[in-house]
Amino acid sequence: MDALKQGADALFILLGAVMVLAMHAGFAFLELGTVRQKNQVNALVKILVDFSVSTVVYFLVGYGVAYGTHFFVGAEELAARNGYDLVKFFFLLTFAAAIPAIISGGIAERARFWPQLIATAVIVGFVYPFFEGIAWNQHLGVQAWIKSVTGEEFHDFAGSVVVHAVGGWIALPAVVLLGSRANRYRKDGAISAHPPSNIPFLALGAWILVVGWFGFNVMSAQTLDKISGLVAVNSLMAMVGGTLAALLLGKNDPGFVHNGPLAGLVAVCAGSDLMHPLGALVVGAVAGAIFVFMFTLTQNKWKIDDVLGVWPLHGLCGTWGGLAAGLFGSKALGGLGGVAFSAQLMGTALGVVWAALGGLVVYGLLKVTVGLRLSQEEEFEGADLSIHKIRSTPDREVSW
């Protein structure tokens, strides 16, 4: 019976890992559809190579930083319990690799390729897993201290704060240090519109992310006996809440409509195992509103050229999700309880500060040492030709 349970658990978390791995295709196509045509190839290459670098670094360093374990033992030991420890690593790797995938969308169209890979290695090797270990593995006694002060630990079931807020708040200093795209904000005060290059690809990316997210959230139970249909339906409700809010507030804009469900899903991760489905609907709708309002504000008023709006989408909606778990997870608002708003506030604030400082240090050092940005000529030409020497579609077909 134990062998059957071990095999079932290994398969369960493996399926989760594969579903979240598929989300990286969603990140790629969301970025591809949003950026201008001259930067589409770069979007596809970045996501795949970032994932590959993340895998090696998280296997060798990051997983050990977060969980105090390593894989420098014989294959016989690694294969124990149907290799559950290995597939658990695979599952958690897909979360870690989401951080550079998130950042990629913010710095698109003008960032150099190799400096970003260095940043990926440092972030996935240390910055992200350090906070991951605090939130999910009791590191440094922070959770115990929060519990002694508030009566409950900081609760983040599937990573609203650990993954999304951290990714979004690391991205913010990267975007600011990099500066806006050429001619985006003109000296006369006018703003040059850079509309999405391909709405169907943008929509495809959003749909792939939405479907994969059910692996992201539901499989965060990590063992089959802890699976909860509540998590699945709360994810569904938050997704549609975000979509409808973005539709109404975004005035039918397809870019907002397809980012709305992502905003809702980002926000529901933390408390998806605690909330009532109607609470999740509200949490998702608020997140959709946050995204539309803050994306517009950052782009048009503050003139922060965050191409995919990753700070509003992941940084702010993830922060909202961490706090929302303390509100809508409480029994007073129909949740299961066992969570305290004050604990959520403390844990979320810690994640935000750590991520913002980490992003500032990593990208600040890269800027002053090797440089972050393409040259003016390279940016004008586009990252596809400048970095990869090929466009997404040829200007003309060659027949032989």
Side-chain angles (χ1 to χ4, degrees), residues 332-392:
L333 290 177
L336 297 180
V339 68
F341 181 76
S342 52
Q344 295 306 109
L345 184 62
M346 291 165 72
T348 301
L350 180 63
V352 166
V353 170
W354 173 252
L357 284 174
L360 189 61
V361 170
V362 171
Y363 285 97
L365 285 173
L366 283 170
K367 183 173 182 177
V368 298
T369 52
V370 296
L372 292 173
R373 188 165 181 145
L374 293 172
S375 70
Q376 215 170 351
E377 185 180 343
E378 288 170 332
E379 186 181 347
F380 177 79
E381 190 77 6
D384 293 358
L385 282 181
S386 299
I387 298 171
H388 310 290
K389 313 303 180 195
I390 192 168
R391 287 202 186 280
S392 58

Short mmCIF file of all heavy atoms in Angstrom, two decimals, residues 332-392:
data_model
loop_
_atom_site.label_atom_id
_atom_site.label_comp_id
_atom_site.label_asym_id
_atom_site.label_seq_id
_atom_site.Cartn_x
_atom_site.Cartn_y
_atom_site.Cartn_z
N ALA A 332 -14.91 34.70 9.37
CA ALA A 332 -15.86 35.81 9.32
C ALA A 332 -16.32 36.10 7.90
O ALA A 332 -17.44 36.57 7.68
CB ALA A 332 -15.23 37.06 9.93
N LEU A 333 -15.46 35.82 6.91
CA LEU A 333 -15.81 36.07 5.51
C LEU A 333 -15.98 34.76 4.74
O LEU A 333 -15.78 34.71 3.52
CB LEU A 333 -14.76 36.97 4.85
CG LEU A 333 -14.75 38.44 5.32
CD1 LEU A 333 -13.62 39.22 4.66
CD2 LEU A 333 -16.08 39.12 5.05
N GLY A 334 -16.34 33.72 5.45
CA GLY A 334 -16.71 32.46 4.79
C GLY A 334 -15.58 31.49 4.55
O GLY A 334 -15.78 30.44 3.93
N GLY A 335 -14.37 31.82 5.02
CA GLY A 335 -13.23 30.94 4.80
C GLY A 335 -13.10 29.87 5.87
O GLY A 335 -13.94 29.76 6.78
N LEU A 336 -12.02 29.10 5.78
CA LEU A 336 -11.79 28.02 6.73
C LEU A 336 -11.13 28.48 8.02
O LEU A 336 -11.12 27.76 9.01
CB LEU A 336 -10.91 26.94 6.08
CG LEU A 336 -11.49 26.22 4.85
CD1 LEU A 336 -10.49 25.19 4.34
CD2 LEU A 336 -12.81 25.56 5.19
N GLY A 337 -10.54 29.68 8.02
CA GLY A 337 -9.88 30.19 9.22
C GLY A 337 -8.44 29.69 9.33
O GLY A 337 -7.87 29.13 8.38
N GLY A 338 -7.85 29.88 10.51
CA GLY A 338 -6.46 29.47 10.72
C GLY A 338 -5.46 30.42 10.09
O GLY A 338 -4.31 30.05 9.82
N VAL A 339 -5.89 31.66 9.86
CA VAL A 339 -5.02 32.66 9.25
C VAL A 339 -5.30 34.01 9.91
O VAL A 339 -6.41 34.26 10.37
CB VAL A 339 -5.27 32.73 7.71
CG1 VAL A 339 -6.66 33.28 7.40
CG2 VAL A 339 -4.21 33.51 6.99
N ALA A 340 -4.26 34.83 10.02
CA ALA A 340 -4.40 36.14 10.66
C ALA A 340 -3.95 37.23 9.71
O ALA A 340 -2.90 37.12 9.07
CB ALA A 340 -3.57 36.21 11.95
N PHE A 341 -4.74 38.30 9.59
CA PHE A 341 -4.38 39.37 8.67
C PHE A 341 -3.03 39.99 9.05
O PHE A 341 -2.23 40.32 8.17
CB PHE A 341 -5.47 40.45 8.65
CG PHE A 341 -5.16 41.58 7.69
CD1 PHE A 341 -5.30 41.41 6.33
CD2 PHE A 341 -4.67 42.80 8.16
CE1 PHE A 341 -4.99 42.43 5.44
CE2 PHE A 341 -4.35 43.82 7.28
CZ PHE A 341 -4.52 43.63 5.91
N SER A 342 -2.78 40.15 10.34
CA SER A 342 -1.51 40.75 10.78
C SER A 342 -0.32 39.89 10.35
O SER A 342 0.73 40.41 9.94
CB SER A 342 -1.51 40.96 12.29
OG SER A 342 -1.85 39.77 12.96
N ALA A 343 -0.48 38.56 10.42
CA ALA A 343 0.59 37.67 9.97
C ALA A 343 0.79 37.80 8.46
O ALA A 343 1.94 37.81 7.97
CB ALA A 343 0.24 36.22 10.31
N GLN A 344 -0.30 37.92 7.72
CA GLN A 344 -0.22 38.09 6.26
C GLN A 344 0.47 39.40 5.91
O GLN A 344 1.27 39.48 4.97
CB GLN A 344 -1.61 38.04 5.65
CG GLN A 344 -2.31 36.71 5.79
CD GLN A 344 -1.49 35.54 5.27
OE1 GLN A 344 -1.00 34.73 6.05
NE2 GLN A 344 -1.32 35.48 3.97
N LEU A 345 0.16 40.43 6.66
CA LEU A 345 0.77 41.74 6.43
C LEU A 345 2.28 41.69 6.65
O LEU A 345 3.06 42.20 5.83
CB LEU A 345 0.12 42.78 7.35
CG LEU A 345 0.57 44.23 7.19
CD1 LEU A 345 0.23 44.75 5.79
CD2 LEU A 345 -0.10 45.11 8.25
N MET A 346 2.68 41.04 7.72
CA MET A 346 4.11 40.95 8.04
C MET A 346 4.87 40.11 7.01
O MET A 346 5.93 40.52 6.51
CB MET A 346 4.29 40.36 9.44
CG MET A 346 3.82 41.28 10.56
SD MET A 346 3.62 40.45 12.14
CE MET A 346 5.32 40.18 12.59
N GLY A 347 4.33 38.95 6.65
CA GLY A 347 5.00 38.09 5.69
C GLY A 347 5.06 38.70 4.30
O GLY A 347 6.09 38.62 3.62
N THR A 348 3.97 39.33 3.90
CA THR A 348 3.93 39.97 2.58
C THR A 348 4.91 41.13 2.52
O THR A 348 5.65 41.28 1.54
CB THR A 348 2.49 40.46 2.28
OG1 THR A 348 1.59 39.35 2.32
CG2 THR A 348 2.42 41.12 0.91
N ALA A 349 4.93 41.96 3.56
CA ALA A 349 5.86 43.10 3.60
C ALA A 349 7.30 42.63 3.53
O ALA A 349 8.13 43.22 2.83
CB ALA A 349 5.62 43.92 4.86
N LEU A 350 7.60 41.54 4.24
CA LEU A 350 8.97 41.00 4.22
C LEU A 350 9.35 40.56 2.80
O LEU A 350 10.45 40.87 2.32
CB LEU A 350 9.07 39.82 5.18
CG LEU A 350 10.44 39.14 5.27
CD1 LEU A 350 11.49 40.10 5.81
CD2 LEU A 350 10.36 37.89 6.16
N GLY A 351 8.43 39.86 2.12
CA GLY A 351 8.70 39.41 0.75
C GLY A 351 8.92 40.57 -0.21
O GLY A 351 9.83 40.54 -1.04
N VAL A 352 8.08 41.60 -0.08
CA VAL A 352 8.17 42.78 -0.96
C VAL A 352 9.51 43.50 -0.76
O VAL A 352 10.21 43.83 -1.73
CB VAL A 352 6.99 43.73 -0.71
CG1 VAL A 352 7.23 45.09 -1.34
CG2 VAL A 352 5.69 43.12 -1.25
N VAL A 353 9.88 43.74 0.49
CA VAL A 353 11.12 44.47 0.78
C VAL A 353 12.33 43.67 0.31
O VAL A 353 13.25 44.21 -0.32
CB VAL A 353 11.22 44.79 2.29
CG1 VAL A 353 12.60 45.33 2.65
CG2 VAL A 353 10.15 45.81 2.69
N TRP A 354 12.33 42.37 0.61
CA TRP A 354 13.46 41.51 0.19
C TRP A 354 13.60 41.50 -1.34
O TRP A 354 14.71 41.62 -1.87
CB TRP A 354 13.27 40.09 0.72
CG TRP A 354 14.28 39.12 0.21
CD1 TRP A 354 14.09 38.12 -0.69
CD2 TRP A 354 15.68 39.07 0.56
NE1 TRP A 354 15.26 37.44 -0.93
CE2 TRP A 354 16.25 37.99 -0.18
CE3 TRP A 354 16.49 39.80 1.41
CZ2 TRP A 354 17.60 37.65 -0.08
CZ3 TRP A 354 17.84 39.45 1.51
CH2 TRP A 354 18.38 38.41 0.78
N ALA A 355 12.48 41.37 -2.04
CA ALA A 355 12.53 41.30 -3.50
C ALA A 355 12.99 42.62 -4.11
O ALA A 355 13.83 42.63 -5.02
CB ALA A 355 11.14 40.92 -4.04
N ALA A 356 12.45 43.72 -3.63
CA ALA A 356 12.83 45.04 -4.17
C ALA A 356 14.32 45.32 -3.95
O ALA A 356 15.02 45.80 -4.84
CB ALA A 356 11.97 46.13 -3.55
N LEU A 357 14.80 44.99 -2.74
CA LEU A 357 16.23 45.18 -2.45
C LEU A 357 17.08 44.25 -3.31
O LEU A 357 18.12 44.65 -3.85
CB LEU A 357 16.51 44.93 -0.97
CG LEU A 357 16.09 46.02 0.00
CD1 LEU A 357 16.29 45.57 1.45
CD2 LEU A 357 16.88 47.30 -0.25
N GLY A 358 16.64 42.99 -3.43
CA GLY A 358 17.38 42.03 -4.26
C GLY A 358 17.47 42.48 -5.70
O GLY A 358 18.54 42.43 -6.31
N GLY A 359 16.35 42.94 -6.25
CA GLY A 359 16.34 43.42 -7.63
C GLY A 359 17.23 44.63 -7.81
O GLY A 359 17.96 44.74 -8.81
N LEU A 360 17.19 45.53 -6.84
CA LEU A 360 18.01 46.75 -6.92
C LEU A 360 19.50 46.42 -6.90
O LEU A 360 20.29 46.96 -7.69
CB LEU A 360 17.66 47.67 -5.74
CG LEU A 360 18.26 49.07 -5.76
CD1 LEU A 360 17.81 49.87 -6.98
CD2 LEU A 360 17.89 49.82 -4.47
N VAL A 361 19.89 45.49 -6.03
CA VAL A 361 21.30 45.12 -5.91
C VAL A 361 21.77 44.37 -7.16
O VAL A 361 22.80 44.72 -7.76
CB VAL A 361 21.54 44.26 -4.65
CG1 VAL A 361 22.95 43.67 -4.66
CG2 VAL A 361 21.33 45.10 -3.38
N VAL A 362 21.02 43.35 -7.57
CA VAL A 362 21.44 42.53 -8.72
C VAL A 362 21.53 43.37 -9.99
O VAL A 362 22.56 43.37 -10.69
CB VAL A 362 20.48 41.34 -8.93
CG1 VAL A 362 20.77 40.63 -10.25
CG2 VAL A 362 20.57 40.36 -7.77
N TYR A 363 20.46 44.10 -10.31
CA TYR A 363 20.45 44.86 -11.56
C TYR A 363 21.30 46.13 -11.46
O TYR A 363 21.85 46.59 -12.47
CB TYR A 363 19.01 45.16 -11.98
CG TYR A 363 18.34 43.93 -12.54
CD1 TYR A 363 17.52 43.14 -11.74
CD2 TYR A 363 18.57 43.53 -13.84
CE1 TYR A 363 16.93 41.98 -12.24
CE2 TYR A 363 17.99 42.37 -14.35
CZ TYR A 363 17.17 41.61 -13.55
OH TYR A 363 16.61 40.46 -14.06
N GLY A 364 21.40 46.70 -10.25
CA GLY A 364 22.27 47.86 -10.06
C GLY A 364 23.73 47.50 -10.32
O GLY A 364 24.45 48.23 -11.01
N LEU A 365 24.17 46.36 -9.79
CA LEU A 365 25.55 45.92 -10.00
C LEU A 365 25.80 45.58 -11.46
O LEU A 365 26.86 45.91 -12.01
CB LEU A 365 25.86 44.70 -9.11
CG LEU A 365 26.07 44.99 -7.62
CD1 LEU A 365 26.20 43.69 -6.84
CD2 LEU A 365 27.31 45.86 -7.41
N LEU A 366 24.84 44.93 -12.10
CA LEU A 366 25.01 44.60 -13.51
C LEU A 366 25.08 45.86 -14.38
O LEU A 366 25.86 45.93 -15.33
CB LEU A 366 23.85 43.71 -13.99
CG LEU A 366 23.92 42.25 -13.57
CD1 LEU A 366 22.62 41.53 -13.90
CD2 LEU A 366 25.10 41.54 -14.27
N LYS A 367 24.30 46.86 -14.02
CA LYS A 367 24.29 48.10 -14.80
C LYS A 367 25.64 48.80 -14.75
O LYS A 367 26.14 49.28 -15.78
CB LYS A 367 23.18 49.03 -14.30
CG LYS A 367 23.08 50.32 -15.13
CD LYS A 367 21.88 51.17 -14.75
CE LYS A 367 21.81 52.42 -15.63
NZ LYS A 367 20.62 53.23 -15.35
N VAL A 368 26.25 48.84 -13.56
CA VAL A 368 27.53 49.57 -13.44
C VAL A 368 28.73 48.72 -13.88
O VAL A 368 29.81 49.27 -14.11
CB VAL A 368 27.75 50.09 -12.00
CG1 VAL A 368 26.67 51.08 -11.60
CG2 VAL A 368 27.84 48.96 -10.99
N THR A 369 28.57 47.41 -13.99
CA THR A 369 29.70 46.57 -14.40
C THR A 369 29.66 46.22 -15.88
O THR A 369 30.55 46.60 -16.65
CB THR A 369 29.75 45.29 -13.55
OG1 THR A 369 28.47 44.63 -13.58
CG2 THR A 369 30.13 45.60 -12.11
N VAL A 370 28.65 45.49 -16.31
CA VAL A 370 28.61 45.03 -17.71
C VAL A 370 27.58 45.76 -18.57
O VAL A 370 27.62 45.69 -19.79
CB VAL A 370 28.34 43.51 -17.79
CG1 VAL A 370 29.48 42.74 -17.15
CG2 VAL A 370 27.02 43.14 -17.14
N GLY A 371 26.65 46.48 -17.92
CA GLY A 371 25.61 47.20 -18.67
C GLY A 371 24.41 46.30 -18.92
O GLY A 371 24.53 45.09 -19.07
N LEU A 372 23.22 46.93 -18.94
CA LEU A 372 21.98 46.18 -19.08
C LEU A 372 21.33 46.33 -20.45
O LEU A 372 20.56 45.48 -20.87
CB LEU A 372 20.95 46.67 -18.04
CG LEU A 372 21.22 46.39 -16.57
CD1 LEU A 372 20.18 47.09 -15.70
CD2 LEU A 372 21.18 44.89 -16.31
N ARG A 373 21.63 47.42 -21.13
CA ARG A 373 20.79 47.82 -22.25
C ARG A 373 21.46 47.66 -23.60
O ARG A 373 22.68 47.85 -23.75
CB ARG A 373 20.39 49.29 -22.04
CG ARG A 373 19.38 49.77 -23.03
CD ARG A 373 18.74 51.05 -22.61
NE ARG A 373 17.76 51.45 -23.61
CZ ARG A 373 16.62 52.05 -23.35
NH1 ARG A 373 16.31 52.34 -22.10
NH2 ARG A 373 15.79 52.36 -24.31
N LEU A 374 20.67 47.31 -24.59
CA LEU A 374 21.15 47.30 -25.97
C LEU A 374 21.56 48.70 -26.39
O LEU A 374 21.06 49.69 -25.86
CB LEU A 374 20.03 46.81 -26.91
CG LEU A 374 19.57 45.36 -26.78
CD1 LEU A 374 18.34 45.13 -27.65
CD2 LEU A 374 20.67 44.39 -27.15
N SER A 375 22.46 48.79 -27.37
CA SER A 375 22.83 50.11 -27.90
C SER A 375 21.64 50.70 -28.64
O SER A 375 20.68 49.99 -28.98
CB SER A 375 24.02 49.98 -28.85
OG SER A 375 23.61 49.33 -30.05
N GLN A 376 21.71 52.00 -28.89
CA GLN A 376 20.62 52.69 -29.58
C GLN A 376 20.34 52.04 -30.94
O GLN A 376 19.19 51.83 -31.34
CB GLN A 376 21.02 54.16 -29.78
CG GLN A 376 19.85 55.10 -29.68
CD GLN A 376 20.31 56.55 -29.64
OE1 GLN A 376 21.49 56.85 -29.52
NE2 GLN A 376 19.37 57.47 -29.73
N GLU A 377 21.41 51.70 -31.63
CA GLU A 377 21.28 51.10 -32.96
C GLU A 377 20.66 49.71 -32.86
O GLU A 377 19.78 49.34 -33.64
CB GLU A 377 22.66 51.01 -33.63
CG GLU A 377 22.61 50.51 -35.07
CD GLU A 377 24.00 50.44 -35.70
OE1 GLU A 377 24.94 51.05 -35.17
OE2 GLU A 377 24.11 49.75 -36.72
N GLU A 378 21.12 48.91 -31.87
CA GLU A 378 20.59 47.55 -31.69
C GLU A 378 19.11 47.58 -31.33
O GLU A 378 18.32 46.78 -31.82
CB GLU A 378 21.38 46.84 -30.59
CG GLU A 378 22.79 46.45 -31.00
CD GLU A 378 23.61 45.96 -29.83
OE1 GLU A 378 23.34 46.38 -28.67
OE2 GLU A 378 24.55 45.17 -30.05
N GLU A 379 18.74 48.52 -30.47
CA GLU A 379 17.34 48.61 -30.06
C GLU A 379 16.46 49.01 -31.25
O GLU A 379 15.36 48.49 -31.43
CB GLU A 379 17.19 49.63 -28.93
CG GLU A 379 15.80 49.68 -28.35
CD GLU A 379 15.64 50.70 -27.23
OE1 GLU A 379 16.67 51.20 -26.72
OE2 GLU A 379 14.49 51.01 -26.89
N PHE A 380 16.96 49.94 -32.06
CA PHE A 380 16.21 50.37 -33.24
C PHE A 380 16.04 49.21 -34.22
O PHE A 380 14.96 49.00 -34.78
CB PHE A 380 16.92 51.54 -33.93
CG PHE A 380 16.25 52.00 -35.19
CD1 PHE A 380 15.13 52.82 -35.14
CD2 PHE A 380 16.72 51.61 -36.43
CE1 PHE A 380 14.49 53.24 -36.31
CE2 PHE A 380 16.10 52.02 -37.61
CZ PHE A 380 14.97 52.83 -37.54
N GLU A 381 17.12 48.45 -34.39
CA GLU A 381 17.09 47.31 -35.30
C GLU A 381 16.16 46.20 -34.77
O GLU A 381 15.53 45.47 -35.54
CB GLU A 381 18.51 46.76 -35.45
CG GLU A 381 18.69 45.74 -36.54
CD GLU A 381 18.75 46.34 -37.93
OE1 GLU A 381 18.76 47.58 -38.08
OE2 GLU A 381 18.74 45.56 -38.88
N GLY A 382 16.09 46.10 -33.45
CA GLY A 382 15.29 45.06 -32.80
C GLY A 382 16.16 43.96 -32.24
O GLY A 382 17.21 43.63 -32.80
N ALA A 383 15.73 43.39 -31.12
CA ALA A 383 16.53 42.35 -30.46
C ALA A 383 16.67 41.10 -31.32
O ALA A 383 17.66 40.38 -31.22
CB ALA A 383 15.89 41.99 -29.11
N ASP A 384 15.69 40.85 -32.20
CA ASP A 384 15.76 39.64 -33.02
C ASP A 384 16.99 39.65 -33.92
O ASP A 384 17.77 38.70 -33.93
CB ASP A 384 14.49 39.51 -33.88
CG ASP A 384 13.25 39.25 -33.04
OD1 ASP A 384 13.39 39.13 -31.81
OD2 ASP A 384 12.15 39.17 -33.62
N LEU A 385 17.16 40.72 -34.69
CA LEU A 385 18.31 40.80 -35.58
C LEU A 385 19.60 41.09 -34.82
O LEU A 385 20.65 40.52 -35.14
CB LEU A 385 18.08 41.88 -36.64
CG LEU A 385 17.16 41.52 -37.81
CD1 LEU A 385 17.06 42.69 -38.78
CD2 LEU A 385 17.67 40.28 -38.53
N SER A 386 19.52 41.94 -33.80
CA SER A 386 20.73 42.34 -33.07
C SER A 386 21.34 41.18 -32.29
O SER A 386 22.55 41.04 -32.24
CB SER A 386 20.40 43.47 -32.09
OG SER A 386 19.93 44.61 -32.77
N ILE A 387 20.49 40.35 -31.69
CA ILE A 387 21.00 39.28 -30.82
C ILE A 387 20.99 37.92 -31.53
O ILE A 387 21.95 37.15 -31.45
CB ILE A 387 20.17 39.20 -29.53
CG1 ILE A 387 20.29 40.52 -28.74
CG2 ILE A 387 20.58 38.01 -28.66
CD1 ILE A 387 19.34 40.64 -27.56
N HIS A 388 19.91 37.64 -32.27
CA HIS A 388 19.73 36.29 -32.81
C HIS A 388 19.93 36.20 -34.33
O HIS A 388 19.86 35.11 -34.90
CB HIS A 388 18.34 35.76 -32.44
CG HIS A 388 18.03 35.91 -30.98
ND1 HIS A 388 18.64 35.15 -30.01
CD2 HIS A 388 17.19 36.76 -30.32
CE1 HIS A 388 18.19 35.52 -28.81
NE2 HIS A 388 17.31 36.49 -28.98
N LYS A 389 20.10 37.34 -34.97
CA LYS A 389 20.42 37.42 -36.41
C LYS A 389 19.32 36.87 -37.31
O LYS A 389 19.58 36.42 -38.43
CB LYS A 389 21.74 36.68 -36.73
CG LYS A 389 22.90 36.98 -35.81
CD LYS A 389 23.23 38.46 -35.75
CE LYS A 389 24.40 38.74 -34.80
NZ LYS A 389 24.51 40.17 -34.45
N ILE A 390 18.08 36.89 -36.82
CA ILE A 390 16.97 36.42 -37.65
C ILE A 390 15.67 37.04 -37.15
O ILE A 390 15.53 37.31 -35.96
CB ILE A 390 16.88 34.87 -37.61
CG1 ILE A 390 15.93 34.35 -38.70
CG2 ILE A 390 16.48 34.36 -36.23
CD1 ILE A 390 16.00 32.85 -38.90
N ARG A 391 14.76 37.27 -38.07
CA ARG A 391 13.44 37.79 -37.70
C ARG A 391 12.45 36.63 -37.53
O ARG A 391 12.70 35.52 -37.99
CB ARG A 391 12.92 38.76 -38.77
CG ARG A 391 13.62 40.10 -38.81
CD ARG A 391 12.75 41.13 -39.48
NE ARG A 391 13.42 42.41 -39.67
CZ ARG A 391 13.58 43.33 -38.71
NH1 ARG A 391 13.12 43.10 -37.51
NH2 ARG A 391 14.19 44.47 -38.98
N SER A 392 11.30 36.92 -36.92
CA SER A 392 10.31 35.87 -36.70
C SER A 392 9.71 35.38 -38.01
O SER A 392 9.37 34.21 -38.16
CB SER A 392 9.19 36.37 -35.77
OG SER A 392 8.58 37.52 -36.33
#
